[in-house]
Amino acid sequence: MAHVEPYEPRYEPGPDELRILYRKEAQAKRRTEARPGLWMAVAIYLLFSATDLLLIPDVAAYTIVARFAVGITALLTLEEQLRRGAATEWLDVTCAGAIIFGYIGWLCPAFMGANRESVAYYMVFGTIFMMSANLFFTLSFKLSIITSTIILCILYIVNYLVPATLTYKLVFGTFYISCFTFTSYVNWKLNGERYNVFLNALEAKIQHNEATERGKALLRLSRTDPLTGLENRRAIDEKLRDCWSDWQRLGNRFAAILIDVDFFKKFNDCYGHQEGDRCLIQVANALSDLVRQYDGSIGRYGGEEFIVLARMDKKDQVADLAEAIRRTVESLALPHELRRDGISIVTASVGAAFTRAQAGAKLEKIIHEADRALYLAKAGGRNCARLFDPTDPQSSDESENIAALLKIAIGQNLVSLVYQPIQDVASGKVEAVEALMRLKMLDGTLVPPSLFIPVAERTGAILELGRWAIRTVCAELLADDHIRVVSVNVSPIQLKTPGFATSVASILGETGVAGSRLAFEITEGLEMEMHSDVLRCINDLKVLGIKIWLDDFGTGFAGLSWLRLIDFDTVKIDRSFLHDCGTSRGMAMLQDIIALVRNRGHKILVEGVETDEQMALMRDFGIDKVQGYRVGRPAPAASFQAKRAIQKRPFTVLKSA
Ligand code: C2E
Ligand code: MG
Ligand code: MG
């Protein structure tokens, strides 16, 4: 199983770790703020030279020199520290030192002046240094308290020394101490707030990261197939669009390859769904290893279907990759015992398409072509790789047109049924007819069933057409008792579709026809897999009274195993055996087949009886029923309705009389 972690579980740092984190972050902040802070502080400090000139003009020269000396020294020290990458603590010490020396450097010369009184007033500005230490610079709490305490002490010393009244000293002393207390308190609060802001920001960051991670995980989940871990259809469709637009814009050619695990439903039926899942995972892993070598992408396209997209330059490379894919699955040698084609391991059918220049090309086209190739690979007996060939009639645009035509056939009355009589050899009477479908194009040209039936099967149109045929047969011939039994050709696709038997039962109910009046002819065609659903459906149909006939016996691969599995009422021997009767070998072959079918207890119908000689031969062989141009060609319902009407007329007249 592919494990897609939704996102990393939330990481909760402890209090100590948080402190360390905070300190780190605060340091980073202080580092960036130290330089502009100190430059600004020094600038203001120097501007105060003006007040020196005004208030203490006699010593202003000294104070100004001191200001410049301290300011420039502080800035140079800081710049040098920054250049050397000194620790943040040392930057702080420089700032703190700048505050203290700035204060001393200004106060000492000022104190030397004549006018001590104005110094006494002037020193009030000392509180600004205290504020700088506590509020302006973001020094650590300890350092700012030490700095502001030193300033406070100097203030007290100076306060003691200045010639002033006691009231003055008391007032200013109180002022200094309250200033110290308040600014220290605010500093302490600020530090607490800063820590809270840090916590909130951290929480927001964690939440943001979580949301981003969750978003990414969801995106990953929405693009991943949970079973195999490959990309899912949605993701691969996007890749396909990218490949397509690269091809359109830049001419980069690419291949689309569809891979279908052969008889996978049978595998599930036989080994169970868990084994089925395991099989798909193994196939997916092997293929993704292979595709990686080709720098391609692989995705799960549906139940047992995978898709590979790979940029390639030449058709040969595409064919090689398709074959390599087939071989990879085969070489896994996963046992698959119950398939009926002689192989006992899991294999895959591969259909590949390569970009090719064509007018009005659409993105879906390449997938459609790969799908066609896949269909042909399956038809070719599976476990094979096919490259789409536009010149192949099965792939031609004609079948494209037919597919489109089939969609509108019923609504536009383009489809009809003709009936071919089936004669009972012993009585010589027409006991039944076979319903054969006819399709005409919009211009009235007939399309042979050999062309449109395979297309209808491939596109699934056969489901609706099949229901339509059964309903029409019941309404046209059976409801009015024109014919006793009508056989209808039914494709294995219909039998495989859930609800088919139910839909037949409801048609019988609607038309009031007994099931025993219908026979379903099954041909062993491409879909030779005798799926358990098919067997169940056949049983349900039998319960309805419908007879099951085997059509074209001897032409397919699975005829004999079908004979073993299903109790057919009648087996129709393919006309090719009768037509080969000209040679003694052919004659012996026909006799052998007849003996085989007879020994199994089925009634025998021989198809394609065209001549009197063939008819006589059938009598000699004791065949039950015959069908062919000698008995009658397929004809519209009207001709059978008319015959019955003639037979019925005396009765009708009597009745009306
Ligand atoms: P099929 O069921 O074996 O039908 C018999 C085919 O042999 C018919 O061809 C019929 O016209 C032809 N045939 C009958 N008697 C003779 C004869 O004496 N000599 C020769 N040479 N041919 C004869 P058709 O109508 O072209 O049908 C071809 C096939 O198409 C059918 O083979 C059947 O497999 C399929 N088909 C026809 N209608 C339906 C339908 O409604 N549903 C499905 N699923 N398949 C159908
Ligand atoms: Mg038939
Ligand atoms: Mg037939």
Side-chain angles (χ1 to χ4, degrees):
M1 295 275 171
H3 290 290
V4 186
E5 273 292 334
Y7 55 89
E8 286 290 312
R10 186 181 181 150
Y11 170 67
E12 300 269 2
D16 291 344
E17 242 173 309
L18 278 176
R19 284 275 161 201
I20 292 169
L21 265 179
Y22 172 64
R23 223 168 289 143
K24 253 192 209 160
E25 192 152 302
Q27 278 188 359
K29 201 162 171 252
R30 286 201 327 258
R31 251 191 124 70
T32 52
E33 284 176 359
R35 179 186 264 158
L38 192 66
W39 273 88
M40 204 205 288
V42 168
I44 294 168
Y45 179 64
L46 295 181
L47 279 178
F48 264 88
S49 304
T51 50
D52 291 350
L53 287 171
L54 216 67
L55 297 171
I56 41 169
D58 54 338
V59 284
Y62 301 109
T63 57
I64 292 169
V65 168
R67 278 178 195 274
F68 273 90
V70 173
I72 289 168
T73 310
L75 286 179
L76 285 177
T77 312
L78 185 84
E79 288 301 326
E80 181 59 16
Q81 281 176 320
L82 285 173
R83 200 179 63 78
R84 290 192 174 191
T88 316
E89 285 78 12
W90 288 110
L91 302 184
D92 284 353
V93 168
T94 304
C95 293
I99 295 169
I100 296 167
F101 286 105
Y103 184 49
I104 297 173
W106 156 71
L107 201 62
C108 288
F111 203 66
M112 292 179 330
N115 195 346
R116 289 273 184 95
E117 233 165 275
S118 57
V119 173
Y121 288 108
Y122 196 22
M123 62 183 269
V124 173
F125 286 115
T127 51
I128 291 178
F129 289 87
M130 201 185 279
M131 284 185 216
S132 317
N134 275 338
L135 308 175
F136 181 75
F137 286 100
T138 41
L139 305 178
S140 69
F141 183 64
K142 207 158 75 187
L143 189 59
S144 50
I145 291 299
I146 293 172
T147 313
S148 52
T149 310
I150 293 172
I151 304 275
L152 182 70
C153 293
I154 299 171
L155 270 170
Y156 265 88
I157 294 166
V158 177
N159 196 28
Y160 179 72
L161 294 176
V162 287
T165 62
L166 192 67
T167 321
Y168 170 91
K169 289 191 177 186
L170 212 69
V171 168
F172 276 98
T174 320
F175 171 68
Y176 297 144
I177 199 112
S178 27
C179 188
F180 171 77
T181 316
F182 279 116
T183 53
S184 301
Y185 176 71
V186 173
N187 184 345
W188 178 70
K189 287 284 281 182
L190 257 177
N191 269 314
E193 275 312 304
R194 274 193 206 115
Y195 186 59
N196 284 341
V197 167
F198 158 77
L199 286 183
N200 288 342
L202 187 69
E203 174 71 20
K205 201 161 121 191
I206 291 174
Q207 279 182 6
H208 175 76
N209 285 350
E210 271 180 9
T212 321
E213 276 306 308
R214 204 175 300 132
K216 277 190 202 155
L218 277 177
L219 188 71
R220 224 173 16 247
L221 267 181
S222 73
R223 299 168 57 86
T224 309
D225 170 52
L227 177 70
T228 58
L230 298 181
E231 287 185 289
N232 63 12
R233 190 169 184 144
R234 164 208 277 236
I236 209 83
D237 274 347
E238 254 168 48
K239 285 242 166 86
L240 177 65
R241 269 195 292 278
D242 291 347
C243 288
W244 183 264
S245 71
D246 278 1
W247 177 54
Q248 297 276 301
R249 286 183 302 119
L250 313 167
N252 297 342
R253 305 186 72 184
F254 71 97
I257 304 175
L258 291 175
I259 302 122
D260 193 278
V261 179
D262 294 327
F263 301 103
F264 186 68
K265 287 195 179 63
K266 189 109 217 159
F267 186 94
N268 267 340
D269 287 350
C270 174
Y271 299 99
H273 285 263
Q274 269 188 335
E275 264 314 304
D277 285 353
R278 219 163 289 148
C279 165
L280 288 180
I281 293 167
Q282 276 175 281
V283 170
N285 290 344
L287 290 184
S288 85
D289 287 347
L290 172 77
V291 168
R292 208 170 298 126
Q293 295 164 26
Y294 288 80
D295 202 20
S297 315
I298 177 164
R300 185 159 172 221
Y301 216 47
E304 71 266 30
E305 201 167 290
F306 299 94
I307 181 170
V308 167
L309 300 173
R311 296 187 200 278
M312 309 215 125
D313 299 321
K314 293 198 186 80
K315 218 171 168 174
D316 293 349
Q317 294 173 317
V318 183
D320 287 349
L321 174 57
E323 178 55 23
I325 288 172
R326 185 204 65 76
R327 229 179 307 117
T328 301
V329 179
E330 190 182 49
S331 58
L332 284 174
L334 302 172
H336 187 349
E337 302 287 349
L338 281 188
R339 50 192 283 179
R340 297 179 185 286
D341 60 351
I343 303 178
S344 53
I345 53 168
V346 170
T347 59
S349 301
V350 183
F354 191 37
T355 41
R356 62 196 177 95
Q358 48 183 322
K362 281 205 200 110
L363 168 70
E364 301 79 38
K365 188 102 179 167
I366 190 159
I367 295 296
H368 188 64
E369 291 180 353
D371 202 30
R372 293 274 202 80
L374 177 64
Y375 183 83
L376 292 180
K378 287 192 200 172
R382 304 181 201 233
N383 188 25
C384 61
R386 288 270 187 282
L387 183 60
F388 175 78
D389 175 7
T391 57
D392 183 338
Q394 266 286 338
S395 314
S396 69
D397 280 348
E398 189 185 20
S399 85
E400 240 356 43
N401 292 340
I402 292 172
L405 199 66
L406 285 170
K407 281 194 192 144
I408 54 159
I410 296 177
Q412 301 273 326
N413 278 329
L414 300 174
V415 67
S416 60
L417 289 177
V418 287
Y419 300 90
Q420 186 175 30
I422 295 171
Q423 194 181 60
D424 185 279
V425 177
S427 68
K429 282 189 187 151
V430 172
E431 296 284 335
V433 293
E434 176 179 7
L436 294 162
M437 202 176 281
R438 295 290 174 259
L439 176 75
K440 60 178 183 203
M441 298 210 214
L442 288 164
D443 64 2
T445 326
L446 275 173
V447 184
S450 54
L451 225 70
F452 76 82
I453 296 288
V455 178
E457 286 180 333
R458 199 184 66 225
T459 59
I462 196 75
L463 298 176
E464 207 194 334
L465 287 171
R467 277 194 298 273
W468 171 87
I470 297 165
R471 187 174 288 116
T472 308
V473 162
C474 289
E476 273 186 349
L477 287 185
L478 295 173
D480 290 339
D481 273 354
H482 293 296
I483 289 289
R484 218 175 57 76
V485 172
V486 179
S487 72
V488 182
N489 293 286
V490 167
S491 153
I493 309 267
Q494 290 168 271
L495 298 174
K496 257 194 341 199
T497 307
F500 175 66
T502 323
S503 68
V504 173
S506 82
I507 293 172
L508 292 177
E510 277 166 38
T511 50
V513 169
S516 58
R517 312 267 311 276
L518 272 179
F520 283 172
E521 295 189 13
I522 308 172
T523 312
E524 25 157 349
L526 299 177
E527 290 292 330
M528 57 183 190
E529 186 181 0
M530 188 43 88
H531 195 247
S532 58
D533 290 350
V534 174
L535 293 177
R536 211 169 302 127
C537 176
I538 287 176
N539 272 336
D540 292 347
L541 294 171
K542 280 190 176 166
V543 171
L544 293 174
I546 296 168
K547 294 186 184 69
I548 308 294
W549 294 3
L550 179 58
D551 202 358
D552 303 338
F553 180 66
T555 54
F557 308 86
L560 285 176
S561 63
W562 281 30
L563 274 190
R564 206 151 45 91
L565 280 170
I566 304 166
D567 185 23
F568 291 105
D569 176 83
T570 297
V571 172
K572 298 179 77 169
I573 296 173
D574 189 70
R575 64 170 178 264
S576 56
F577 294 100
L578 179 61
H579 294 181
D580 283 351
C581 265
T583 64
S584 55
R585 258 178 78 110
M587 179 69 89
M589 184 79 175
L590 178 64
Q591 280 173 313
D592 286 348
I593 286 185
I594 290 169
L596 172 85
V597 178
R598 185 168 287 145
N599 286 340
R600 295 211 49 89
H602 308 288
K603 279 184 218 131
I604 303 173
L605 185 156
V606 175
E607 300 181 293
V609 177
E610 293 175 353
T611 62
D612 290 341
E613 294 79 49
Q614 286 170 341
M615 192 67 200
L617 195 65
M618 293 301 102
R619 268 192 220 101
D620 291 348
F621 284 164
I623 299 299
D624 302 295
K625 292 175 262 194
V626 287
Q627 184 181 358
Y629 297 158
R630 164 70 175 67
V631 181
R633 289 187 177 255
S639 58
F640 295 92
Q641 290 161 346
K643 276 180 203 158
R644 191 72 180 190
I646 293 163
Q647 286 168 15
K648 273 190 172 176
R649 194 165 293 144
F651 175 69
T652 319
V653 170
L654 267 179
K655 208 180 165 195
S656 58

